[in-house]
Amino acid sequence: MQKEKLLIIDDEERLRNLLARILQLEGYDVLVAANGKDGLKKLLQENIPVVISDVKLPDYNGIDLTLQIKSIKPATEVIVLTAFGTINDGVKAIKSGAFDYITKGDDNERIIPLVSKAMDKALLQYRVEELENKLNEKFGFDRLIGKSAAVTDVIKLAQKVALTDTTVLLLGETGTGKELFAEAIHQASPRHNKAFVAVNCSAFTKELLESELFGHKAGSFTGAVKDKKGLFEEANGGTIFLDEIGELDHELQAKLLRVLESQQFLKIGDTKPTQVNVRILAATNRNLQEEVSKEGFRSDLYYRLSVFQITLPALRDRKKDIRLLAEYFMNYFGLKVKKQFTGMTEKFVEKLEAYNWPGNIRELKNIIERAVILADETVLDESLLPYEMQEPSPVKPGTSLSAFDLASIEKLHIQRVLNHTHGNRAEAARLLNIGVATLYRKLKDYGLE
């Protein structure tokens, strides 16, 4: 079994060696340093979860050293040693990010349990950090979880178009991972060293969205006290991802069309066009062809956006991936709440696979997080699922739901989320990952106003 490393930084050789010996007998791999400079050097060279540092060193104040250690390795825990324990020292140590402080000679019985607690916390933080890196890391398509044909076929399409500069329109229901795919396309493209900027078009009013996208000149409207760069300028050389593109106002659709055709736009209050070099990725859960026929969306813009369309599969169409995704979220949230899980019961997985998932992957993520929080055992079982999933209405394979049924499912899901947020519509829109304007429209459509 690999021994966990810890570092002792103290200029008193006798005390340093004695403390090292005590902790070595407890099974730790102990490194030592006589000053702050050598200690920081070892910290950069080794993966050290816990540091024990004297408050007074030849070249450092222990409080300042703690701040530097936490800035270099935020997950590393620091225990400060003081010759004369005072409340002032303790407050300073804790404020600087130290795990705790102990007084030399007076707190000998506290050292071993304190180191053990600090080690447990640090190792947990390292594991959470590692999982967060896997979840958030932007290195192409490796982070997309799924082995079903439905998702692997889509990934292959996205990988091919990623190498080009073609505009891509991502289609699919809410919660299917359109932004993740957009980021993966950017990371696999020649533009990966430049910015990736994502904006939800439904999250702003028309006026605010125009300013956010294209920027404005000082004095162009009340409150415009200085020039502002828009998101298109921020994404210059890179990629901009326009989510919920179907919510875009007609005037902004015309401005976006100009960017697509000439890579130019006019800032609010400006007379000179701004030139950019930006790749545009867009996404919507609406039927844009239908919107075009109703004149709710410009046909010329639609055809420019949909040079290459990719439709992401709903979770109910990739049942084989449900277990993989659930296991990933179980481990991720387990570490977040300091719980370890050995797995899920088959009944639990069966219930997940039988459910229709109107909220797709985002809904699965939320349900697993809820189950992890409620769990008292190391295995997730069906009792941890929401009531409506306990006895789900079975959907026979090959049977397609009618438009009425789909609407009913969406209506029920919106009602559940509103109940969860106690009627807070802004919070409900955030959880549903749709704009507030979209939520109000759906509330009106379903008579839930």
Side-chain angles (χ1 to χ4, degrees), residues 252-315:
L252 293 184
Q253 289 178 29
K255 292 194 76 165
L256 178 58
L257 181 61
R258 183 178 180 185
V259 179
L260 281 164
E261 290 177 339
S262 65
Q263 293 279 291
Q264 290 183 344
F265 59 88
L266 281 174
K267 292 183 178 182
I268 300 172
D270 202 357
T271 55
K272 183 182 176 182
T274 300
Q275 186 78 37
V276 289
N277 174 16
V278 177
R279 182 185 192 177
I280 296 175
L281 306 178
T284 182
N285 59 2
R286 298 176 70 172
N287 187 332
L288 289 189
Q289 281 185 312
E290 190 176 303
E291 293 297 320
V292 168
S293 67
K294 295 177 182 177
E295 298 185 352
F297 200 84
R298 292 179 63 117
S299 59
D300 47 5
L301 177 58
Y302 170 69
Y303 292 121
R304 289 304 300 261
L305 286 172
S306 59
V307 174
F308 199 99
Q309 288 190 17
I310 298 177
T311 303
L312 303 190
L315 186 56

Side-chain angles (χ1 to χ4, degrees), residues 31 50 71 84-85 100 102 104 160 166 172 187 250 260 272 314 325 334 376 438 446:
L31 306 175
V50 174
S71 69
F84 305 100
D100 208 339
I102 52 177
K104 291 181 181 180
K160 287 181 179 179
T166 303
Q187 291 301 321
H250 260 273
L260 281 164
K272 183 182 176 182
L325 289 162
D376 293 320
T438 304
Y446 296 137

